[in-house]
């Protein structure tokens, strides 16, 4: 067996460190998922989704599937952002065809019922998945751990489901910022422990997903998006100074140049709506950037997919850049289209 590569020899980690790479590394959000028939075959063997996420062998297996098929430069742990509320004792379940359902937390009494006691026991299978992946991944593929950002996780915890406008959490934050802040503080502390344990188990980089960041106005975003992520980043930096963190604050638009300086993350995820020239001129000088192909282009395929892939590579690559999507792969994506983009990236040179 070949000797494992050092951290600095992994293309993905070199890019996050700002080192020179021959081509941009790539991985795709939700690269382990329903668009792959091999994923669906494994998923069919487990009745409910939370149990699937907490089955270490199966979670490891589906994490490896896209690496084996497409040769990404990084694998991201297969799990879900709602494992943290599950760990805090909130009832989390997934309804087929509808999405997550949680027992809503809407006041101080609801927050008081959540607890860090038993957290590690309830989520410990995730750490075992990371340990398995650290042993089984190819030596040139980096391992990404992840968690949802406190704001986005809280929107589900408060509403009890996904919502189009995050109205329940936004109203609580407006009407009772101290009470809502206690929920955010608890989720923040749980997230720090959760991510730290992933690093201890073998994760080499981390991503924080703030999918619903764009639902907040500027002043609220500073409070509920920037500040909690900054706390998480500072705590992790103190313990693991060489582990880079990617922050994905979807939909924050013109505030994106402030995100890395305000939070301390090394890399910034880009949604599909952000202009490439704006990113190149105002974001990339201060942070590594990651993104931002429209996931529906992966569904459409053809010339439009090839042109946009090459435009992104030409505008943002090859240095200080990781190729990814502007959001996760959707289930109807043809795997052949993912393979085509992978080929374009591997063959591309500036």
């Amino acid at each position: 067996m070949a000797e494992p590569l050092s951290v600095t020899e992994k293309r993905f980690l070199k890019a996050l460190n700002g080192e020179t790479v021959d081509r941009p590394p790539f991985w795709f959000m939700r690269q382990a998922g329903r668009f792959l028939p091999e994923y669906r075959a494994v998923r069919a063997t487990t009745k409910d989704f939370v149990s699937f996420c907490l089955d270490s062998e199966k979670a490891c297996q589906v994490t490896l599937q896209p690496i084996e098929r497409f040769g990404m430069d990084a694998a991201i742990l297969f799990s879900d952002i709602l494992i943290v509320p599950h760990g805090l004792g909130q009832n989390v379940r997934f309804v087929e065809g509808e999405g997550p359902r949680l027992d809503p937390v809407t006041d101080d009494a609801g927050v008081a019922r959540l607890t860090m006691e038993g957290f590690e026991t309830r989520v410990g299978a995730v750490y075992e998945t990371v340990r398995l992946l650290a042993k089984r991944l190819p030596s040139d593929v980096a391992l990404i751990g992840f968690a949802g950002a406190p704001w986005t996780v809280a929107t589900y915890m408060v509403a009890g489901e996904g919502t189009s406008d995050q109205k329940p959490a936004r109203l609580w934050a407006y009407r009772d910022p101290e009470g809502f802040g206690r929920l955010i503080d608890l989720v923040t502390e749980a997230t720090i422990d959760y991510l730290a344990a992933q690093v201890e188990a073998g994760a080499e980089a981390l991503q924080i997903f703030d999918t619903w960041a764009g639902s907040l106005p500027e002043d609220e975003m500073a409070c509920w998006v920037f500040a909690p992520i900054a706390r998480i980043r500072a705590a992790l930096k103190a313990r693991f100074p060489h582990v880079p963190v990617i922050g994905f604050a979807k939909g924050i638009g013109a505030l994106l140049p402030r995100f890395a300086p305000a939070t301390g993350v090394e890399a910034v995820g880009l949604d599909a709506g952000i202009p490439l020239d704006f990113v190149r001129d105002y974001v990339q000088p201060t942070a590594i950037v990651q993104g931002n192909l429209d996931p529906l282009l992966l569904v459409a395929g053809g010339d439009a997919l090839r042109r946009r892939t090459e435009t992104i590579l030409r505008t943002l690559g090859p240095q200080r850049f990781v190729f990814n999507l502007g959001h996760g792969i959707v289930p109807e994506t043809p795997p052949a289209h993912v393979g085509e983009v992978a080929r374009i990236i591997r063959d591309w040179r500036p």
Side-chain angles (χ1 to χ4, degrees):
M1 180 179 295
E3 288 295 315
L5 296 180
S6 70
V7 165
T8 55
E9 290 178 301
K10 296 185 179 184
R11 187 181 284 109
F12 173 75
L13 296 176
K14 287 181 70 173
L16 290 188
N17 287 332
E19 299 176 34
T20 300
V21 290
D22 56 335
R23 62 156 175 84
F26 74 101
W27 67 280
F28 298 139
M29 290 182 281
R30 293 196 195 133
Q31 64 189 23
R34 289 177 291 171
F35 80 104
L36 289 176
E38 55 265 43
Y39 169 91
R40 295 194 296 271
V42 178
R43 174 68 182 88
T45 66
T46 306
K47 184 176 181 181
D48 69 274
F49 187 69
V50 173
S51 296
F52 186 36
C53 291
L54 297 176
D55 187 316
S56 299
E57 281 290 342
K58 291 177 182 177
C60 176
Q61 184 178 351
V62 297
T63 301
L64 292 170
Q65 286 172 349
I67 306 303
E68 294 164 351
R69 187 187 269 248
F70 304 113
M72 285 86 171
D73 295 290
I76 186 164
L77 163 72
F78 177 79
S79 187
D80 192 87
I81 66 169
L82 298 183
I83 294 299
V84 164
H86 167 79
L88 290 169
Q90 189 173 17
N91 182 29
V92 179
R93 57 208 179 275
F94 285 77
V95 178
E96 190 67 31
E98 297 182 18
R101 296 291 184 271
L102 304 86
D103 294 346
V105 174
T106 58
D107 52 24
D108 280 346
V111 176
R113 286 191 290 270
L114 304 173
T115 178
M116 284 295 295
E117 185 176 348
F119 182 88
E120 184 171 354
T121 299
R122 287 188 285 268
V123 306
V126 173
Y127 312 147
E128 178 60 20
T129 303
V130 175
R131 284 189 284 270
L132 292 174
L133 287 165
K135 295 175 183 176
R136 298 177 186 177
L137 276 170
S139 60
D140 59 343
V141 176
L143 176 55
I144 307 169
F146 80 91
W151 163 252
T152 287
V153 172
T155 67
Y156 289 93
M157 296 176 76
V158 175
E161 60 185 343
T163 57
S164 61
D165 57 4
Q166 295 72 60
K167 179 179 176 181
R170 290 166 63 195
L171 285 174
W172 187 4
Y174 282 136
R175 291 168 173 165
D176 179 18
E178 290 187 3
F180 184 71
R182 283 187 280 274
L183 175 62
I184 290 290
D185 287 344
L186 178 60
V187 175
T188 299
E189 290 306 312
T191 303
I192 290 168
D193 287 358
Y194 184 60
L195 290 174
Q198 290 181 43
V199 174
E200 290 169 346
E204 299 168 291
L206 299 168
Q207 176 149 321
I208 300 173
F209 288 85
D210 217 345
T211 307
W212 300 123
S215 62
L216 290 169
E218 179 181 0
D219 53 346
E220 296 292 296
M221 193 178 300
C223 183
W224 306 124
V225 172
F226 289 4
I229 294 176
R231 279 178 58 191
I232 294 168
R233 183 67 197 105
L236 294 170
K237 187 82 168 178
R239 294 178 61 179
F240 313 105
H242 303 300
V243 174
V245 174
I246 306 161
F248 179 52
K250 185 174 180 287
I252 68 172
L255 297 180
L256 199 61
R258 302 187 198 175
F259 182 60
T263 62
V265 299
E266 285 76 15
V268 174
L270 312 171
D271 60 66
I274 197 78
L276 295 179
D277 290 351
F278 177 82
V279 171
R280 181 195 60 208
D281 295 342
Y282 297 105
V283 183
Q284 208 168 20
T286 58
I288 312 303
V289 297
Q290 175 181 278
N292 69 334
L293 185 72
D294 184 350
L296 289 185
L297 274 172
L298 271 184
V299 178
D303 289 342
L305 173 61
R306 289 188 288 273
R307 284 196 303 269
R308 185 60 180 176
T309 298
E310 290 168 356
T311 296
I312 294 170
L313 289 166
R314 188 168 57 249
T315 306
L316 299 180
Q319 311 306 328
R320 301 179 62 78
F321 174 57
V322 174
F323 193 99
N324 207 308
L325 306 180
H327 202 214
I329 293 179
V330 297
E332 61 267 36
T333 302
H337 293 177
V338 178
E340 172 71 2
V341 172
R343 183 196 62 76
I344 293 170
I345 297 168
R346 279 195 293 266
D347 291 347
W348 184 82
R349 293 296 183 274

